[in-house]
């Protein structure tokens, strides 16, 4: 007798792991993302141990192909989690603007609309889906902004808060070097998801460091995911510390200890691999 066929949705099961939940992203976006990327790194290492190597430490051709498929899938997952980190960080900062000494809501939306390429168009059906739900308004706002895969746009979204450092300067929370690195990862993710893991010639021209990779299949070295996890740690610390310092430099001095603790937790950057944060 043939085995009963299940619908796709029927394969969704309860997860036995305690991965980063959306609640964790809401409370401490950086720590939640680093937890997720460390889990991806550990999964990659566990997979590599299953493939045999020869005396010289090399993998067979079939093993290499399997590893490349696994790495491509993990990179797409990592970048999806990174987008979640950015959205929740932005959403919570928006929620917490009530704790700032001076916040111009009208100017904020003028800047956001300009950075978004036009007025924010909130999908009313999606908005209605949040009925009887504790989702914060900041997340609804973040979810309706475009271009989270552009570090330039993300910088402009955070600049819209009007936060200034101790020298009364506005700064980009994502530095030029980090923007360059992220542009490579975002393009790789795009090519994996949308063009069968091949960097199209037009896409290669969008990113300076990928100019020589047009029409090439993305084949990643076995240790790639471990390196992505390691290199993302200082990136996340840089971004979170930058916006955290700006926020704290502009927050009210009359806040209660509980509120200050909540703000500290929002900008907390913690990881099981603490050495990678330096």
């Amino acid at each position: 007798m043939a085995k009963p066929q299940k619908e796709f949705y029927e394969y969704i099961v309860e997860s036995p792991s305690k991965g980063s939940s959306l609640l964790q992203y809401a409370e401490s976006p950086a720590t939640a993302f680093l937890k997720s990327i460390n889990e991806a790194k550990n999964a990659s290492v566990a997979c590599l141990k299953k493939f045999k190597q020869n005396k010289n430490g090399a993998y067979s051709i079939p093993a290499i192909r399997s590893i490349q498929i696994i790495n491509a899938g993990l990179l797409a997952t990592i970048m999806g989690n990174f987008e979640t980190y950015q959205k929740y960080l932005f959403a919570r900062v928006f929620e917490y603007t009530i704790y700032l000494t001076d916040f111009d809501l009208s100017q904020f939306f003028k800047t956001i609309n300009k950075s978004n390429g036009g007025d924010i168009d909130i999908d009313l059906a999606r908005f209605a889906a949040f009925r009887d739900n504790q989702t914060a308004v900041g997340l609804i706002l973040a979810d309706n902004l475009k271009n989270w895969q552009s570090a330039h746009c993300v910088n402009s979204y955070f600049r819209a808060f009007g936060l200034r450092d101790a020298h009364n300067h506005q700064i980009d929370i994502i530095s030029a070097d980090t923007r360059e690195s992220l542009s490579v990862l975002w393009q790789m993710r795009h090519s994996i998801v949308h063009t069968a893991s091949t960097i199209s010639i037009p896409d290669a021209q969008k990113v300076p460091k990928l100019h020589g990779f047009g029409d090439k299949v993305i084949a990643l070295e076995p240790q790639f995911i471990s390196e992505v996890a390691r290199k993302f740690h200082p990136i996340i610390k840089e971004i979170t510390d930058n916006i955290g310092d700006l926020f704290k430099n502009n927050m009210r001095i009359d806040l209660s200890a509980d509120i200050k603790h909540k703000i500290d937790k929002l900008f907390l950057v913690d990881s099981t691999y603490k050495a990678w944060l330096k």
Side-chain angles (χ1 to χ4, degrees), residues 30 68 103 125 148 185:
Q68 290 172 350
F103 177 65
W148 286 104
L185 291 176

Side-chain angles (χ1 to χ4, degrees), residues 157-229:
Y157 293 157
F158 280 94
R159 270 180 170 264
F161 290 113
L163 302 175
R164 296 182 176 275
D165 64 14
H167 304 290
N168 201 34
H169 297 147
Q170 278 196 304
I171 65 170
D172 287 333
I173 64 168
I174 307 177
S175 67
D177 287 344
T178 298
R179 290 200 301 271
E180 189 174 48
S181 297
L182 289 175
S183 68
V184 172
L185 291 176
W186 276 125
Q187 183 55 61
M188 290 169 66
R189 179 263 178 196
H190 175 89
S191 298
I192 289 167
V193 173
H194 297 290
T195 53
S197 291
T198 300
I199 303 176
S200 68
I201 293 176
D203 282 342
Q205 295 306 306
K206 298 176 184 176
V207 182
K209 288 193 173 181
L210 295 177
H211 281 181
F213 292 86
D215 210 26
K216 290 188 177 181
V217 173
I218 296 175
L220 303 169
E221 293 183 7
Q223 302 299 327
F224 176 75
I225 297 300
S226 291
E227 284 301 292
V228 170

Side-chain angles (χ1 to χ4, degrees), residues 22 28 32 47 56 62-63 65 92 96 102 108 113 121 128 130 134 136 151 160 166 194 197 200 207 210 218 251 261:
L22 293 182
S28 185
C47 287
N56 297 322
R65 180 57 185 149
R92 276 308 191 197
Y96 288 3
D102 183 28
F108 169 80
N113 286 332
D121 183 17
F130 289 111
Q134 295 183 358
H194 297 290
S197 291
S200 68
V207 182
L210 295 177
I218 296 175
M251 71 182 189
H261 175 73

Side-chain angles (χ1 to χ4, degrees), residues 13 34 61 68 74 81 117 138 144 156 161 166 176 190 205 223 254:
V13 298
L34 292 178
I61 297 300
Q68 290 172 350
L74 286 173
N81 278 301
N144 283 277
S156 66
F161 290 113
H190 175 89
Q205 295 306 306
Q223 302 299 327
D254 62 339

